[in-house]
Amino acid sequence: SYMILVITVFNVIIPLILISPEGEASGILRDSQAGVVLEPDNSELLSRTILELIDDKTKRDRMAQY
């Protein structure tokens, strides 16, 4: 499984995108609401999720608070 970690560049926090089967990490991320959990091998869903986060500043900002 792959995990895109929190990236802080120039004081900008980016929400996490976790690509992983269900497990402890996905539960923690869902509970914290600091990012999105996606199933593996679904590049279309990954693309849509990235575009949604780019377009939805409110959602990005909410996730970045955690």
Side-chain angles (χ1 to χ4, degrees), residues 41-56:
D41 302 319
N42 192 336
S43 58
E44 185 176 317
L45 180 58
L46 175 60
S47 297
R48 284 196 317 258
T49 301
I50 291 169
L51 291 173
E52 178 184 328
L53 289 171
I54 289 169
D55 291 339
D56 191 341

Side-chain angles (χ1 to χ4, degrees), residues 15-28:
L16 275 77
I17 298 175
L18 174 65
I19 302 169
S20 175
E22 288 301 313
E24 187 175 353
S26 60
I28 291 169

Side-chain angles (χ1 to χ4, degrees), residues 6-65:
V6 174
I7 301 170
T8 304
V9 179
F10 302 111
N11 294 323
V12 175
I13 297 175
I14 300 170
L16 275 77
I17 298 175
L18 174 65
I19 302 169
S20 175
E22 288 301 313
E24 187 175 353
S26 60
I28 291 169
L29 185 56
R30 279 198 183 97
D31 290 347
S32 71
Q33 299 178 353
V36 181
V37 178
L38 302 177
E39 60 194 41
D41 302 319
N42 192 336
S43 58
E44 185 176 317
L45 180 58
L46 175 60
S47 297
R48 284 196 317 258
T49 301
I50 291 169
L51 291 173
E52 178 184 328
L53 289 171
I54 289 169
D55 291 339
D56 191 341
K57 182 178 179 345
T58 302
K59 188 173 190 174
R60 272 194 331 270
D61 289 347
R62 186 179 71 245
M63 289 179 176
Q65 292 177 3

